[in-house]
Amino acid sequence: HQATMTFASYCQVCAMPLQQICLIPTGNSDSNTFLIHRGAGGSSDGAGGGAVLPPITFGPAHDWLLRAVAVPLKESEEENGDTGVLFGTVDEGEVVKDGETVADVEDGVGDDYAALHECCWNLAGRPQCFGVLQHISKTKGYRDIENLYHNQDFEFQKLADDSGEWMLHDPIPDDTTDASSHQRSKERIQELLQPPPAEVKAED
């Protein structure tokens, strides 16, 4: 049988997914069937046998992909000082915490919130409103990733084939990890976080 369909949500800073869900073709030439692999410690369901391996071997270096922040599109502050930034994991376009849906972020931007990795939010200076970051998804660096790897689910296999797995490595790792690929990942995100060039007004 064919696996239940899923869809990915994407960080509005780094363009990487907020899940570790991989669609894996089973190799059955008679039908278009696949497995859904749900990341480190997750299960695989759908059609096919147990010998099919995911394109990425998820481990501690990839845990950051699952830690999400929902940042309000508009700046607001509640009377109790709560700025409205929400934390959780993303499942089918919803930020979930303790089993409860706390925000709708669709594929990355919902009606009221935008989704970021918590690591990317920290690197961005923990903004309380998405406005200062909304230009990033329009940059060439973001669009290049979007055009190559964004689909209904993230194209992990294509990223692996392109030797781009380093982009999935935690940009703020602990001191016990190999620093090289993590630093490269951090530098890519920091480049995306550069402010947009100031508009030059034409002289009369």
mmCIF file of all heavy atoms in Angstrom, residues 12-54:
data_model
loop_
_atom_site.group_PDB
_atom_site.id
_atom_site.type_symbol
_atom_site.label_atom_id
_atom_site.label_comp_id
_atom_site.label_asym_id
_atom_site.label_seq_id
_atom_site.Cartn_x
_atom_site.Cartn_y
_atom_site.Cartn_z
ATOM 1 N N GLN A 12 12.265 29.808 7.836
ATOM 2 C CA GLN A 12 12.274 31.033 7.039
ATOM 3 C C GLN A 12 13.588 31.807 7.150
ATOM 4 O O GLN A 12 13.695 32.920 6.636
ATOM 5 C CB GLN A 12 11.099 31.918 7.445
ATOM 6 C CG GLN A 12 9.747 31.273 7.175
ATOM 7 C CD GLN A 12 9.567 30.890 5.713
ATOM 8 O OE1 GLN A 12 9.552 31.757 4.840
ATOM 9 N NE2 GLN A 12 9.455 29.605 5.418
ATOM 10 N N VAL A 13 14.596 31.191 7.775
ATOM 11 C CA VAL A 13 15.948 31.748 7.781
ATOM 12 C C VAL A 13 16.886 30.900 6.947
ATOM 13 O O VAL A 13 17.507 31.380 6.002
ATOM 14 C CB VAL A 13 16.492 31.885 9.222
ATOM 15 C CG1 VAL A 13 17.997 32.201 9.206
ATOM 16 C CG2 VAL A 13 15.757 32.989 9.963
ATOM 17 N N CYS A 14 16.992 29.607 7.260
ATOM 18 C CA CYS A 14 18.015 28.769 6.615
ATOM 19 C C CYS A 14 17.497 27.931 5.463
ATOM 20 O O CYS A 14 18.289 27.322 4.737
ATOM 21 C CB CYS A 14 18.687 27.869 7.645
ATOM 22 S SG CYS A 14 17.670 26.464 8.184
ATOM 23 N N ALA A 15 16.193 27.837 5.285
ATOM 24 C CA ALA A 15 15.547 27.089 4.201
ATOM 25 C C ALA A 15 15.617 25.580 4.380
ATOM 26 O O ALA A 15 15.174 24.830 3.513
ATOM 27 C CB ALA A 15 16.117 27.474 2.829
ATOM 28 N N MET A 16 16.161 25.113 5.511
ATOM 29 C CA MET A 16 16.166 23.686 5.789
ATOM 30 C C MET A 16 14.822 23.285 6.410
ATOM 31 O O MET A 16 14.093 24.112 6.939
ATOM 32 C CB MET A 16 17.318 23.339 6.734
ATOM 33 C CG MET A 16 18.706 23.489 6.119
ATOM 34 S SD MET A 16 19.048 22.315 4.782
ATOM 35 C CE MET A 16 18.963 23.414 3.340
ATOM 36 N N PRO A 17 14.483 21.996 6.350
ATOM 37 C CA PRO A 17 13.180 21.561 6.859
ATOM 38 C C PRO A 17 13.116 21.585 8.385
ATOM 39 O O PRO A 17 14.141 21.537 9.071
ATOM 40 C CB PRO A 17 13.072 20.120 6.340
ATOM 41 C CG PRO A 17 14.496 19.664 6.239
ATOM 42 C CD PRO A 17 15.264 20.882 5.789
ATOM 43 N N LEU A 18 11.899 21.620 8.889
ATOM 44 C CA LEU A 18 11.642 21.568 10.326
ATOM 45 C C LEU A 18 11.221 20.164 10.745
ATOM 46 O O LEU A 18 10.639 19.976 11.806
ATOM 47 C CB LEU A 18 10.578 22.597 10.699
ATOM 48 C CG LEU A 18 11.071 24.048 10.617
ATOM 49 C CD1 LEU A 18 9.974 24.980 10.132
ATOM 50 C CD2 LEU A 18 11.610 24.517 11.951
ATOM 51 N N GLN A 19 11.517 19.205 9.899
ATOM 52 C CA GLN A 19 11.269 17.797 10.185
ATOM 53 C C GLN A 19 12.447 16.992 9.644
ATOM 54 O O GLN A 19 13.308 17.508 8.951
ATOM 55 C CB GLN A 19 9.982 17.286 9.498
ATOM 56 C CG GLN A 19 8.719 18.019 9.851
ATOM 57 C CD GLN A 19 8.428 19.178 8.924
ATOM 58 O OE1 GLN A 19 9.166 19.454 7.984
ATOM 59 N NE2 GLN A 19 7.338 19.883 9.198
ATOM 60 N N GLN A 20 12.425 15.694 9.933
ATOM 61 C CA GLN A 20 13.411 14.769 9.375
ATOM 62 C C GLN A 20 12.714 13.710 8.523
ATOM 63 O O GLN A 20 13.211 12.601 8.353
ATOM 64 C CB GLN A 20 14.209 14.106 10.496
ATOM 65 C CG GLN A 20 15.025 15.074 11.334
ATOM 66 C CD GLN A 20 15.742 14.396 12.493
ATOM 67 O OE1 GLN A 20 15.537 13.219 12.760
ATOM 68 N NE2 GLN A 20 16.578 15.142 13.190
ATOM 69 N N ILE A 21 11.579 14.052 7.964
ATOM 70 C CA ILE A 21 10.796 13.081 7.205
ATOM 71 C C ILE A 21 11.370 12.916 5.799
ATOM 72 O O ILE A 21 11.532 13.890 5.061
ATOM 73 C CB ILE A 21 9.322 13.502 7.128
ATOM 74 C CG1 ILE A 21 8.698 13.476 8.531
ATOM 75 C CG2 ILE A 21 8.541 12.588 6.191
ATOM 76 C CD1 ILE A 21 7.276 13.984 8.577
ATOM 77 N N CYS A 22 11.684 11.674 5.443
ATOM 78 C CA CYS A 22 12.214 11.356 4.120
ATOM 79 C C CYS A 22 11.240 10.428 3.390
ATOM 80 O O CYS A 22 10.751 9.460 3.974
ATOM 81 C CB CYS A 22 13.555 10.617 4.216
ATOM 82 S SG CYS A 22 14.841 11.459 5.113
ATOM 83 N N LEU A 23 10.996 10.729 2.133
ATOM 84 C CA LEU A 23 10.276 9.792 1.279
ATOM 85 C C LEU A 23 11.314 8.937 0.554
ATOM 86 O O LEU A 23 12.193 9.466 -0.125
ATOM 87 C CB LEU A 23 9.408 10.531 0.266
ATOM 88 C CG LEU A 23 8.257 11.371 0.824
ATOM 89 C CD1 LEU A 23 7.422 11.934 -0.314
ATOM 90 C CD2 LEU A 23 7.382 10.555 1.758
ATOM 91 N N ILE A 24 11.211 7.615 0.688
ATOM 92 C CA ILE A 24 12.213 6.704 0.134
ATOM 93 C C ILE A 24 11.534 5.780 -0.865
ATOM 94 O O ILE A 24 10.705 4.946 -0.491
ATOM 95 C CB ILE A 24 12.868 5.861 1.245
ATOM 96 C CG1 ILE A 24 13.316 6.753 2.410
ATOM 97 C CG2 ILE A 24 14.037 5.061 0.696
ATOM 98 C CD1 ILE A 24 13.746 5.978 3.632
ATOM 99 N N PRO A 25 11.864 5.904 -2.166
ATOM 100 C CA PRO A 25 11.296 4.969 -3.152
ATOM 101 C C PRO A 25 11.667 3.533 -2.789
ATOM 102 O O PRO A 25 12.783 3.244 -2.361
ATOM 103 C CB PRO A 25 11.940 5.397 -4.465
ATOM 104 C CG PRO A 25 12.392 6.800 -4.237
ATOM 105 C CD PRO A 25 12.761 6.887 -2.780
ATOM 106 N N THR A 26 10.728 2.622 -2.962
ATOM 107 C CA THR A 26 10.979 1.219 -2.618
ATOM 108 C C THR A 26 11.673 0.468 -3.739
ATOM 109 O O THR A 26 12.137 -0.650 -3.533
ATOM 110 C CB THR A 26 9.657 0.508 -2.298
ATOM 111 O OG1 THR A 26 8.831 0.520 -3.474
ATOM 112 C CG2 THR A 26 8.933 1.185 -1.148
ATOM 113 N N GLY A 27 11.726 1.049 -4.933
ATOM 114 C CA GLY A 27 12.343 0.349 -6.054
ATOM 115 C C GLY A 27 11.407 -0.618 -6.747
ATOM 116 O O GLY A 27 11.824 -1.373 -7.633
ATOM 117 N N ASN A 28 10.158 -0.622 -6.373
ATOM 118 C CA ASN A 28 9.164 -1.482 -7.015
ATOM 119 C C ASN A 28 8.789 -0.879 -8.360
ATOM 120 O O ASN A 28 8.154 0.172 -8.430
ATOM 121 C CB ASN A 28 7.927 -1.600 -6.114
ATOM 122 C CG ASN A 28 6.920 -2.607 -6.647
ATOM 123 O OD1 ASN A 28 6.945 -2.957 -7.824
ATOM 124 N ND2 ASN A 28 6.037 -3.073 -5.765
ATOM 125 N N SER A 29 9.198 -1.523 -9.432
ATOM 126 C CA SER A 29 8.979 -0.978 -10.773
ATOM 127 C C SER A 29 7.532 -1.066 -11.211
ATOM 128 O O SER A 29 7.128 -0.422 -12.178
ATOM 129 C CB SER A 29 9.866 -1.713 -11.789
ATOM 130 O OG SER A 29 9.565 -3.102 -11.780
ATOM 131 N N ASP A 30 6.741 -1.866 -10.499
ATOM 132 C CA ASP A 30 5.348 -2.041 -10.903
ATOM 133 C C ASP A 30 4.424 -0.971 -10.335
ATOM 134 O O ASP A 30 3.301 -0.816 -10.801
ATOM 135 C CB ASP A 30 4.842 -3.419 -10.443
ATOM 136 C CG ASP A 30 5.594 -4.554 -11.125
ATOM 137 O OD1 ASP A 30 6.020 -4.354 -12.279
ATOM 138 O OD2 ASP A 30 5.757 -5.611 -10.494
ATOM 139 N N SER A 31 4.888 -0.232 -9.333
ATOM 140 C CA SER A 31 4.021 0.793 -8.733
ATOM 141 C C SER A 31 4.878 1.894 -8.122
ATOM 142 O O SER A 31 6.025 1.663 -7.753
ATOM 143 C CB SER A 31 3.113 0.184 -7.657
ATOM 144 O OG SER A 31 3.887 -0.356 -6.610
ATOM 145 N N ASN A 32 4.300 3.055 -8.029
ATOM 146 C CA ASN A 32 4.999 4.211 -7.463
ATOM 147 C C ASN A 32 4.782 4.222 -5.952
ATOM 148 O O ASN A 32 3.948 4.953 -5.433
ATOM 149 C CB ASN A 32 4.472 5.501 -8.096
ATOM 150 C CG ASN A 32 5.231 6.720 -7.604
ATOM 151 O OD1 ASN A 32 6.382 6.618 -7.178
ATOM 152 N ND2 ASN A 32 4.580 7.865 -7.657
ATOM 153 N N THR A 33 5.527 3.359 -5.250
ATOM 154 C CA THR A 33 5.357 3.242 -3.810
ATOM 155 C C THR A 33 6.630 3.674 -3.098
ATOM 156 O O THR A 33 7.715 3.682 -3.679
ATOM 157 C CB THR A 33 5.012 1.799 -3.415
ATOM 158 O OG1 THR A 33 6.024 0.920 -3.926
ATOM 159 C CG2 THR A 33 3.659 1.388 -3.957
ATOM 160 N N PHE A 34 6.497 4.013 -1.844
ATOM 161 C CA PHE A 34 7.626 4.541 -1.094
ATOM 162 C C PHE A 34 7.411 4.312 0.391
ATOM 163 O O PHE A 34 6.317 3.999 0.845
ATOM 164 C CB PHE A 34 7.813 6.036 -1.365
ATOM 165 C CG PHE A 34 6.557 6.837 -1.145
ATOM 166 C CD1 PHE A 34 6.237 7.335 0.111
ATOM 167 C CD2 PHE A 34 5.678 7.084 -2.196
ATOM 168 C CE1 PHE A 34 5.077 8.052 0.322
ATOM 169 C CE2 PHE A 34 4.508 7.805 -1.984
ATOM 170 C CZ PHE A 34 4.209 8.295 -0.731
ATOM 171 N N LEU A 35 8.499 4.486 1.138
ATOM 172 C CA LEU A 35 8.452 4.501 2.591
ATOM 173 C C LEU A 35 8.519 5.933 3.073
ATOM 174 O O LEU A 35 9.152 6.779 2.439
ATOM 175 C CB LEU A 35 9.631 3.727 3.183
ATOM 176 C CG LEU A 35 9.686 2.214 2.980
ATOM 177 C CD1 LEU A 35 11.030 1.694 3.460
ATOM 178 C CD2 LEU A 35 8.564 1.529 3.731
ATOM 179 N N ILE A 36 7.880 6.212 4.189
ATOM 180 C CA ILE A 36 8.080 7.476 4.892
ATOM 181 C C ILE A 36 8.965 7.172 6.091
ATOM 182 O O ILE A 36 8.569 6.444 6.996
ATOM 183 C CB ILE A 36 6.755 8.098 5.358
ATOM 184 C CG1 ILE A 36 5.866 8.421 4.158
ATOM 185 C CG2 ILE A 36 7.019 9.366 6.166
ATOM 186 C CD1 ILE A 36 4.500 8.955 4.541
ATOM 187 N N HIS A 37 10.168 7.705 6.081
ATOM 188 C CA HIS A 37 11.091 7.521 7.202
ATOM 189 C C HIS A 37 11.033 8.773 8.068
ATOM 190 O O HIS A 37 11.195 9.894 7.568
ATOM 191 C CB HIS A 37 12.517 7.305 6.698
ATOM 192 C CG HIS A 37 13.506 7.075 7.805
ATOM 193 N ND1 HIS A 37 13.632 5.854 8.434
ATOM 194 C CD2 HIS A 37 14.382 7.907 8.406
ATOM 195 C CE1 HIS A 37 14.562 5.953 9.377
ATOM 196 N NE2 HIS A 37 15.016 7.185 9.382
ATOM 197 N N ARG A 38 10.821 8.596 9.365
ATOM 198 C CA ARG A 38 10.531 9.727 10.244
ATOM 199 C C ARG A 38 11.715 10.156 11.103
ATOM 200 O O ARG A 38 11.559 10.646 12.202
ATOM 201 C CB ARG A 38 9.315 9.409 11.114
ATOM 202 C CG ARG A 38 8.083 9.110 10.272
ATOM 203 C CD ARG A 38 6.828 8.929 11.082
ATOM 204 N NE ARG A 38 5.714 8.586 10.228
ATOM 205 C CZ ARG A 38 4.972 9.470 9.563
ATOM 206 N NH1 ARG A 38 5.237 10.754 9.662
ATOM 207 N NH2 ARG A 38 3.979 9.077 8.788
ATOM 208 N N GLY A 39 12.920 9.991 10.571
ATOM 209 C CA GLY A 39 14.098 10.544 11.223
ATOM 210 C C GLY A 39 14.666 9.674 12.309
ATOM 211 O O GLY A 39 14.310 8.517 12.472
ATOM 212 N N ALA A 40 15.594 10.262 13.081
ATOM 213 C CA ALA A 40 16.305 9.515 14.117
ATOM 214 C C ALA A 40 15.331 8.941 15.130
ATOM 215 O O ALA A 40 14.522 9.659 15.711
ATOM 216 C CB ALA A 40 17.311 10.428 14.815
ATOM 217 N N GLY A 41 15.413 7.639 15.328
ATOM 218 C CA GLY A 41 14.543 6.983 16.297
ATOM 219 C C GLY A 41 13.111 6.836 15.839
ATOM 220 O O GLY A 41 12.271 6.316 16.560
ATOM 221 N N GLY A 42 12.815 7.297 14.607
ATOM 222 C CA GLY A 42 11.452 7.225 14.110
ATOM 223 C C GLY A 42 11.187 5.934 13.385
ATOM 224 O O GLY A 42 12.043 5.067 13.250
ATOM 225 N N SER A 43 9.971 5.807 12.885
ATOM 226 C CA SER A 43 9.569 4.598 12.189
ATOM 227 C C SER A 43 9.505 4.856 10.695
ATOM 228 O O SER A 43 9.554 5.991 10.236
ATOM 229 C CB SER A 43 8.190 4.152 12.692
ATOM 230 O OG SER A 43 7.233 5.176 12.439
ATOM 231 N N SER A 44 9.423 3.779 9.935
ATOM 232 C CA SER A 44 9.175 3.864 8.509
ATOM 233 C C SER A 44 7.856 3.176 8.233
ATOM 234 O O SER A 44 7.610 2.070 8.706
ATOM 235 C CB SER A 44 10.306 3.192 7.719
ATOM 236 O OG SER A 44 11.534 3.858 7.922
ATOM 237 N N ASP A 45 6.988 3.820 7.465
ATOM 238 C CA ASP A 45 5.751 3.167 7.110
ATOM 239 C C ASP A 45 5.466 3.369 5.641
ATOM 240 O O ASP A 45 6.060 4.213 4.986
ATOM 241 C CB ASP A 45 4.565 3.647 7.966
ATOM 242 C CG ASP A 45 4.560 5.153 8.163
ATOM 243 O OD1 ASP A 45 4.318 5.886 7.199
ATOM 244 O OD2 ASP A 45 4.815 5.564 9.299
ATOM 245 N N GLY A 46 4.569 2.543 5.102
ATOM 246 C CA GLY A 46 4.293 2.565 3.692
ATOM 247 C C GLY A 46 4.595 1.219 3.096
ATOM 248 O O GLY A 46 4.703 0.215 3.781
ATOM 249 N N ALA A 47 4.748 1.193 1.791
ATOM 250 C CA ALA A 47 4.998 -0.068 1.112
ATOM 251 C C ALA A 47 6.479 -0.346 1.036
ATOM 252 O O ALA A 47 7.291 0.562 1.000
ATOM 253 C CB ALA A 47 4.406 -0.004 -0.295
ATOM 254 N N GLY A 48 6.839 -1.621 1.008
ATOM 255 C CA GLY A 48 8.240 -1.955 0.786
ATOM 256 C C GLY A 48 8.831 -2.734 1.930
ATOM 257 O O GLY A 48 8.223 -2.953 2.966
ATOM 258 N N GLY A 49 10.083 -3.164 1.769
ATOM 259 C CA GLY A 49 10.752 -3.999 2.752
ATOM 260 C C GLY A 49 11.641 -3.206 3.662
ATOM 261 O O GLY A 49 11.877 -2.022 3.486
ATOM 262 N N GLY A 50 12.205 -3.894 4.659
ATOM 263 C CA GLY A 50 12.987 -3.238 5.684
ATOM 264 C C GLY A 50 14.397 -2.893 5.273
ATOM 265 O O GLY A 50 15.113 -2.264 6.036
ATOM 266 N N ALA A 51 14.843 -3.307 4.065
ATOM 267 C CA ALA A 51 16.227 -3.066 3.670
ATOM 268 C C ALA A 51 16.448 -1.665 3.105
ATOM 269 O O ALA A 51 17.572 -1.284 2.830
ATOM 270 C CB ALA A 51 16.655 -4.098 2.635
ATOM 271 N N VAL A 52 15.373 -0.914 2.909
ATOM 272 C CA VAL A 52 15.497 0.420 2.329
ATOM 273 C C VAL A 52 16.020 1.381 3.390
ATOM 274 O O VAL A 52 15.449 1.512 4.477
ATOM 275 C CB VAL A 52 14.138 0.909 1.790
ATOM 276 C CG1 VAL A 52 14.283 2.295 1.181
ATOM 277 C CG2 VAL A 52 13.605 -0.072 0.769
ATOM 278 N N LEU A 53 17.116 2.079 3.088
ATOM 279 C CA LEU A 53 17.736 2.980 4.050
ATOM 280 C C LEU A 53 17.467 4.431 3.666
ATOM 281 O O LEU A 53 17.397 4.767 2.479
ATOM 282 C CB LEU A 53 19.249 2.742 4.100
ATOM 283 C CG LEU A 53 19.682 1.353 4.568
ATOM 284 C CD1 LEU A 53 21.199 1.225 4.467
ATOM 285 C CD2 LEU A 53 19.221 1.084 5.991
ATOM 286 N N PRO A 54 17.342 5.325 4.655
ATOM 287 C CA PRO A 54 17.146 6.743 4.346
ATOM 288 C C PRO A 54 18.417 7.343 3.757
ATOM 289 O O PRO A 54 19.518 6.847 4.012
ATOM 290 C CB PRO A 54 16.808 7.361 5.701
ATOM 291 C CG PRO A 54 17.475 6.461 6.687
ATOM 292 C CD PRO A 54 17.376 5.076 6.106
#
